[in-house]
Amino acid sequence: MIAALLLAAAIRIGGVGAAPLDPKIATIETEDRAPLVWRVTDTGGRVVLSGRSVPMGRDEAAGRAVHRADLTALRVPGTYRLNAGGAIGEVTIGRGLTRALARDALRYFHHNRAGVPIEARVVGARWARPAGHPRESATCFAGMDEKGVRWPGCGYALEVTGGWYDAGDHGKYVVNGGIALWTLLNMAERGRTLPGLLEEARWEMEFLLRMQVPAGTRYAFPSGPAVDVSGMAHHKVADARWTALPMRPDRDPGPRLLYPPTTAATLNLAAVAAQGARVWRTIDPAFARRCAHASARAWRAALRNPAVLAPDAFTGSGAYGDADVSDEFFWAAAERHALTRDRALRARLTASPHYRATPAEPGWPATAALGLATLAQHGDGEARARLVAAADGYRAAAAHSGYGVPVAGKTFVWGSNAVLLNRAMILALAADWSGDRTYRAPVVATLDYLTGRNPLGRSYVAGYGPDPMRHPHHRHWANGIDPAYPAAPPGALSGGPNATPGTEAAAVLGRCAPMTCWRDDARLFSLNEVAINWNAPLVWVAAWRDATEVPR
Ligand code: 9MR
């Protein structure tokens, strides 16, 4: 009985370790109301630090009562044991511990390239595979969609080889490709690049340029007469049907189709092509001009067709449908203004409600924060203030979280791990701009949470931390379904806990507190898929944590 009580506590610690001068918090899950005495011992069993835990009460997201133990004073690199309430955890202190994570997270994109062989010398023999969808030439969906609406074809095929597969499926979506690419290019623009980052970014940029509708194209959407869609971007190129799992991409038997152009995709192209034009301006002026030209065409096309939304009516791929594109207009205008300094764009930006509002964390349906980040990067104090206001909210939320993470609003949705990472990115920007180190703790805590400091005590990042994710919903890393296929490579991030996961996953999960609604199960795409827009902020945040770990 006594032993059972003692063992009731559990210690949760981040799996990548901590830098000597960084905040180091352990979460202790215990029903004990009073502070617990904790001790840190070194490998020789000597007590090097001790203290009392701070009871935080019941953490609603986790569904359990927690304490926090602050080990920040532990600064000497090494491996230690934390003892508290009868539970034991391992603490690692060292320099540069997040660097490998940042690089592996970036390698995720190489692994998921379409159109080229993925070679053993880059990814290791286990993950090497032949090229998927090389020489991909696709024409437009024509005929009846799932809702009985009839779509015309188009008189052309586009050569759309390349880019990255979106996620576990082999779709390539301009909306999601756009924000993922923005996140990587933003690192370059902020001078926090990684080896190989620009080459990887260019692989996607070139693909996005190919998705642009040729000049002189008229297209009759089901709802109206033919309109000029030249310069718009097709929403996606994808399989006509959902393909089976597992499915190595080179064995995909099905036809690939272009889906109708949308305003959101067009604005994603206008935005990232403008960003690309800035990033490549001195590195490759000719490519930068190509990007600038495509951005300008896309912008004009979006102004001509400002409300063409993506229908959720085609099987074989995700919808990425978004009823409000005002934030995409704001984002694209910001990127174009940073490129062109055009006065009319400036007026449009400052008149937008998105310029005045505290933004939501960025994500494919919400891109205002990306526009604000670019405006801030180019010296706009108002935009900076908006993002710092968002960071203030996240920092306050993290202070109340037993796990130190910026839990706010509907956090534990599909892709919750990336919701947290995108908040961490805003916190990191606020830390950079203000020099205020209190924004840093929740950024560090977010990576700790993802790698094991969470109520499941497991890491959502393959290859890192305790009992890491191995079996994502992915057609090639399908070891969870067929042992002949590889498990997830190091640095791949699971979408994470989803408290509203749909019927199939809900049946497997049963009742769960939001932070625990997760399984390492390849079938459960709503909580264990991987995706470019989730791994991109992991790269950003891990690289930031690495580059800034020693205070200046
Ligand atoms: O990440 C997307 C999530 O926000 C949506 O709720 C979900 C359902 O529409 O779709 C997710 O995106 C998926 C996309 O539609 C298809 N490729 C895999 C993506 C990640 O699960």
Side-chain angles (χ1 to χ4, degrees):
M1 186 60 195
I2 288 173
L5 271 180
L6 286 176
L7 287 176
I11 293 178
R12 309 299 186 197
I13 295 175
V16 280
L21 298 174
D22 259 343
K24 300 163 201 82
I25 312 287
T27 298
I28 305 165
E29 296 169 354
T30 172
E31 293 296 328
D32 240 305
R33 299 234 176 135
L36 298 173
V37 173
W38 55 260
R39 288 191 182 79
V40 175
T41 51
D42 64 14
T43 45
R46 232 165 18 104
V47 176
V48 292
L49 194 72
S50 63
R52 279 168 187 283
S53 65
V54 179
M56 306 280 296
R58 198 183 146 77
D59 185 291
E60 283 310 325
R64 56 194 75 173
V66 301
H67 296 195
R68 284 201 205 174
D70 187 346
L71 321 180
T72 303
L74 193 63
R75 292 186 166 175
V76 180
T79 308
Y80 304 87
R81 282 181 129 193
L82 169 66
N83 294 256
I88 289 174
E90 192 179 274
V91 181
T92 307
I93 315 278
R95 296 193 175 84
L97 296 177
T98 324
R99 188 160 309 155
L101 172 59
R103 293 182 178 191
D104 280 343
L106 177 61
R107 199 165 295 110
Y108 171 96
F109 293 88
H110 192 96
H111 277 281
N112 287 290
R113 280 187 182 194
V116 276
I118 306 304
E119 293 178 19
R121 80 186 155 76
V122 184
V123 296
R126 206 177 313 171
W127 289 284
R129 59 170 174 80
H133 308 101
R135 293 178 302 280
E136 185 174 9
S137 172
T139 189
C140 298
F141 177 96
M144 198 106 90
D145 69 18
E146 300 288 293
K147 301 212 164 129
V149 175
R150 205 164 270 289
W151 296 80
C154 55
Y156 54 85
L158 288 184
E159 201 277 305
V160 289
T161 311
W164 308 309
Y165 296 123
D166 186 57
D169 62 318
H170 295 144
K172 301 190 292 190
Y173 308 78
V174 173
V175 273
N176 212 39
I179 63 160
L181 178 56
W182 182 93
T183 306
L184 298 188
L185 284 179
N186 178 259
M187 294 174 65
E189 204 169 24
R190 294 183 55 71
R192 290 209 201 289
T193 189
L194 289 171
L197 182 138
L198 272 187
E199 197 193 325
E200 200 52 63
R202 181 146 174 178
W203 188 252
E204 181 71 3
M205 188 76 254
E206 303 233 14
F207 159 71
L208 292 177
L209 296 176
R210 296 192 177 111
M211 290 293 281
Q212 195 159 28
V213 174
T217 306
R218 297 182 68 76
Y219 185 82
F221 291 96
S223 53
V227 288
D228 177 7
V229 292
S230 318
M232 288 186 81
H234 284 278
H235 197 65
K236 56 187 172 183
V237 55
D239 290 303
R241 309 240 169 286
W242 288 110
T243 56
L245 252 80
M247 174 67 65
R248 222 172 59 185
D250 57 295
R251 294 178 179 149
D252 179 357
R256 306 270 291 176
L257 295 172
L258 290 173
Y259 289 85
T262 62
T263 306
T266 304
L267 290 167
N268 267 260
L269 177 61
V272 288
Q275 186 192 27
R278 301 196 304 271
V279 168
W280 277 292
R281 196 168 59 91
T282 54
I283 304 165
D284 184 342
F287 184 60
R289 277 195 298 277
R290 236 182 99 199
C291 291
H293 180 65
S295 170
R297 278 183 69 211
W299 177 251
R300 286 194 303 269
L303 293 174
R304 264 195 333 266
N305 300 286
V308 181
L309 305 180
D312 185 2
F314 301 108
T315 188
S317 53
Y320 286 121
D322 183 355
D324 179 0
V325 294
S326 67
D327 51 319
E328 280 78 10
F329 267 109
F330 178 77
W331 172 36
E335 299 298 341
R336 292 200 43 71
H337 182 260
L339 175 67
T340 63
R341 298 274 147 196
D342 180 89
R343 286 256 192 84
L345 279 172
R346 177 85 201 152
R348 186 186 174 108
L349 283 164
T350 53
S352 165
H354 295 293
Y355 189 65
R356 309 250 164 259
T358 304
E361 72 279 344
W364 63 264
T367 58
L370 306 180
L372 289 170
T374 289
L375 292 177
Q377 175 72 20
H378 292 267
D380 187 320
E382 287 270 331
R384 194 175 276 202
R386 297 287 90 79
L387 288 165
V388 170
D392 288 345
Y394 301 143
R395 183 178 55 182
H400 292 290
S401 158
Y403 301 80
V405 288
V407 173
K410 292 200 181 117
T411 305
F412 295 96
V413 294
W414 195 316
S416 67
N417 284 340
V419 172
L420 292 172
L421 280 168
N422 280 310
R423 289 178 189 160
M425 182 173 78
I426 304 297
L427 283 156
L429 289 172
D432 282 350
W433 294 329
S434 67
D436 179 345
R437 291 186 57 81
T438 63
Y439 290 114
R440 183 177 182 80
V443 182
V444 171
T446 297
L447 288 181
D448 288 349
Y449 165 89
L450 294 178
T451 56
R453 190 184 155 201
N454 58 60
L456 298 176
R458 301 189 61 175
S459 173
Y460 297 111
V461 183
Y464 288 84
D467 195 9
M469 181 274 280
R470 291 173 47 79
H471 300 306
H473 181 81
H474 189 276
R475 278 168 173 68
H476 183 224
W477 307 333
N479 184 270
I481 291 169
D482 179 345
Y485 283 74
L493 171 73
S494 167
N498 183 353
T500 48
T503 38
E504 194 191 342
V508 174
L509 288 169
R511 273 174 64 103
C512 52
M515 262 187 196
T516 67
C517 301
W518 186 76
R519 293 284 187 282
D520 187 17
D521 184 330
R523 292 170 307 140
L524 306 183
F525 48 82
S526 65
L527 41 98
N528 202 32
E529 194 158 348
V530 290
I532 52 175
N533 62 317
W534 303 337
N535 245 81
L538 178 61
V539 181
W540 198 109
V541 172
W544 183 87
R545 176 168 155 178
D546 176 55
T548 58
E549 73 177 29
V550 179
R552 271 156 287 180

